[in-house]
Amino acid sequence: MKIGARKEFCGEFIIPGDKSITHRAIMFNAAASGEAAVTNALMGEDCLSTAACMRALGAEVAVEGDTIRVRGAETFRDAECYCGNSGTTMRLLMGLVAGRNVNVVLTGDPSLSARPMERVAKPLRLLGADIRTEGGKAPVTIGKTKLTGREVDTAVPSAQVKSALILAALGADGETFVHEAVKTRDHTERMLAAMGADLCVLGNAVRVKKSRLKCADVEVPGDISSAAYFMALGALRGETLCRNVGINPTRTGILTVFDRMGVEYALENKRMVCGEPVADIRVRKSALKAVNISGDIMPALIDELPVIAVLCAYAEGESVITGAEELRVKESDRIRTTAEMLSAFGGDIREREDGFVIRGKKSLLGGNADSHLDHRIAMSAAVALAASEQGGEIRNAECVNISFPGFYSMLG
Ligand code: S3P
């Protein structure tokens, strides 16, 4: 895919539905009683993988435009579920099917099959789950056992791990407490509460009691992780307005980074939609300052770090990002692939084991880079190239369909 250099970039964008929320709306309704409509659903490949898995387990899931209609399955059937590229699908399903009296095998594409699954399997076994991984990775096999509630800690700050435990706890006898050291995105807690789960959030802990879920309609807000590319282009080259974007505080780390980098932005038309805060985000061209990012903010911006690295490459001064080792186990090793991409365009970026050091420049020349089949690397590269002097080309560019079908035409 060729990306031309853009001296100016201005426009209004309607951002596709949130990936995390779409996954959950399909999956949880498919495990509940009744019927529901999920509107403004993301039709990305990852969410379609979740839909296919829930069908394999016995739910009815029909796609009509950007609405997904779900009829829940009272009980699941034995199945092999192909999760494609989607870590959220595989990890949440591990918790959802454990304790539901089914034999399930979860498989994925080569990228997903290389990602760590014991971080979910291990705490689920503490509840009594029968889960086997192959050397810590997929395929993951889940057998029939009864689960018992207890206190568990998540070893890594991961909403996927926390969500899997909460889902398993819904079918476990007694009470489960899930503790996390750092708060991660809480879409699971919000949605399950709206579906009748007996669940209570106490600081960084969630108490869950055995519950049956009732289907609930969900209107999905736009995904701030997708808006981030157009927000970044506004900051670099003009003015952008991204409409209807979810601003759940567990997801808005990028706005905190904008504050620190001196990015001019405004949240307009703030409102609540289906229990999630939403706004239109306006971003104006700004003189960018280098930034240090580390610590507890990481889960709130983990998916945005590649595009934040692009902003740092255009900022004045040296930015240091540490404590981001989770990037090494995403769809690609995003520390390596982000560094490779920005270096190819003329950026000055050094890898650290847990992040990057980026010395900003007034401009980048541009050039060619590979996405390594990672959607967020492809879109970050597109932003870097659009803001560069000469533009360039992205190889394996079509992987954006994982989370943002239509990305290149919106950019055009
Ligand atoms: C997600 C959580 C994050 C994020 C991923 C989606 C979710 O992963 O990177 O894109 O929907 O729960 P971790 O929870 O593993 O950090």
Side-chain angles (χ1 to χ4, degrees):
M1 172 68 61
K2 285 205 164 62
I3 307 288
R6 305 280 287 265
K7 287 223 156 44
E8 201 179 55
F9 190 94
C10 297
E12 237 180 86
F13 303 91
I14 297 173
I15 299 300
D18 187 277
K19 183 155 83 75
S20 293
I21 295 176
T22 303
H23 278 301
R24 286 160 173 78
I26 299 169
M27 198 181 278
F28 302 172
N29 275 307
S33 60
E35 283 178 60
V38 183
T39 47
N40 195 40
L42 173 66
M43 292 300 159
E45 286 170 12
D46 269 8
C47 298
L48 297 176
S49 292
T50 291
C53 290
M54 300 322 292
R55 277 188 211 108
L57 288 164
E60 285 176 36
V61 185
V63 176
E64 291 169 19
D66 64 4
T67 297
I68 298 184
R69 295 192 188 281
V70 186
R71 181 192 289 271
E74 290 291 310
T75 52
F76 287 155
R77 59 185 177 217
D78 292 354
E80 181 176 328
C81 298
Y82 177 67
C83 306
N85 191 246
S86 176
T88 308
T89 308
M90 184 170 285
R91 295 196 177 122
L92 267 58
L93 272 180
M94 287 167 72
L96 184 70
V97 302
R100 277 184 170 255
N101 203 31
V102 275
N103 294 307
V104 174
V105 181
L106 304 174
T107 58
D109 74 2
S111 154
L112 182 56
S113 303
R115 296 177 64 187
M117 293 300 147
E118 276 298 321
R119 54 176 56 196
V120 192
K122 227 171 167 177
L124 283 173
R125 283 187 204 113
L126 295 176
L127 301 181
D130 168 20
I131 302 196
R132 278 151 286 147
T133 63
E134 286 199 12
K137 306 200 166 133
V140 179
T141 309
I142 300 132
K144 300 180 181 182
T145 43
K146 269 186 93 58
L147 305 186
T148 311
R150 53 170 289 172
E151 294 207 15
V152 267
D153 293 303
T154 58
V156 280
S158 162
Q160 296 178 349
V161 176
K162 172 181 65 176
S163 298
L165 286 164
I166 294 173
L167 291 168
L170 293 175
D173 287 334
E175 230 176 49
T176 304
F177 281 88
V178 184
H179 296 273
E180 48 181 3
V182 183
K183 187 148 176 99
T184 61
R185 64 188 69 186
D186 64 358
H187 307 302
T188 295
E189 295 89 311
R190 287 176 191 243
M191 200 181 292
L192 289 177
M195 295 174 77
D198 189 343
L199 169 153
C200 171
V201 178
L202 310 148
N204 283 9
V206 188
R207 191 199 66 206
V208 191
K209 292 188 189 165
K210 195 169 193 163
S211 321
R212 292 175 83 86
L213 300 178
K214 284 196 215 68
C215 283
D217 292 343
V218 178
E219 186 182 335
V220 182
D223 197 326
I224 192 165
S225 301
S226 299
Y229 306 104
F230 292 96
M231 289 156 58
L233 275 167
L236 288 167
R237 287 290 171 269
E239 180 168 335
T240 53
L241 178 65
C242 295
R243 292 215 180 265
N244 191 37
V245 181
I247 51 162
N248 180 314
T250 60
R251 298 285 300 279
T252 50
I254 189 170
L255 298 179
T256 308
V257 169
F258 276 9
D259 289 331
R260 294 189 201 156
M261 293 187 87
V263 175
E264 250 189 80
Y265 70 92
L267 301 180
E268 299 173 358
N269 194 16
K270 281 195 203 173
R271 56 211 184 269
M272 288 298 286
V273 177
C274 281
E276 292 277 352
V278 172
D280 302 335
I281 307 181
R282 187 183 296 279
V283 182
R284 292 195 180 88
K285 187 169 173 179
S286 314
L288 303 178
K289 293 183 298 214
V291 67
N292 288 341
I293 309 173
S294 64
D296 290 359
I297 195 174
M298 280 305 155
L301 47 66
I302 193 75
D303 293 336
E304 289 68 76
L305 280 172
V307 73
I308 289 172
V310 172
L311 288 176
C312 293
Y314 283 100
E316 193 185 336
E318 188 174 85
S319 297
V320 182
I321 298 167
T322 57
E325 57 278 353
E326 272 298 300
L327 289 182
R328 295 230 179 251
V329 291
K330 292 295 181 187
E331 286 83 330
S332 69
D333 172 348
R334 287 185 180 156
I335 295 181
R336 189 176 58 74
T337 50
T338 300
E340 188 187 298
M341 177 260 290
L342 280 173
S343 303
F345 299 160
D348 180 350
I349 175 166
R350 270 178 293 128
E351 271 187 50
R352 291 173 50 115
E353 197 40 47
D354 65 343
F356 327 92
V357 179
I358 304 166
R359 189 174 286 279
K361 295 185 172 182
K362 278 213 166 55
S363 69
L364 299 187
L365 193 60
N368 301 336
D370 201 301
S371 72
H372 296 278
L373 300 174
D374 183 333
H375 54 129
R376 301 212 187 277
I377 297 300
M379 291 186 277
S380 302
V383 171
L385 287 175
S388 72
E389 284 168 40
Q390 298 181 352
E393 190 162 357
I394 305 167
R395 290 185 295 275
N396 290 313
E398 63 295 337
C399 58
V400 300
N401 292 332
I402 290 288
S403 64
F404 200 154
F407 171 78
Y408 296 112
S409 50
M410 217 184 255
L411 187 69

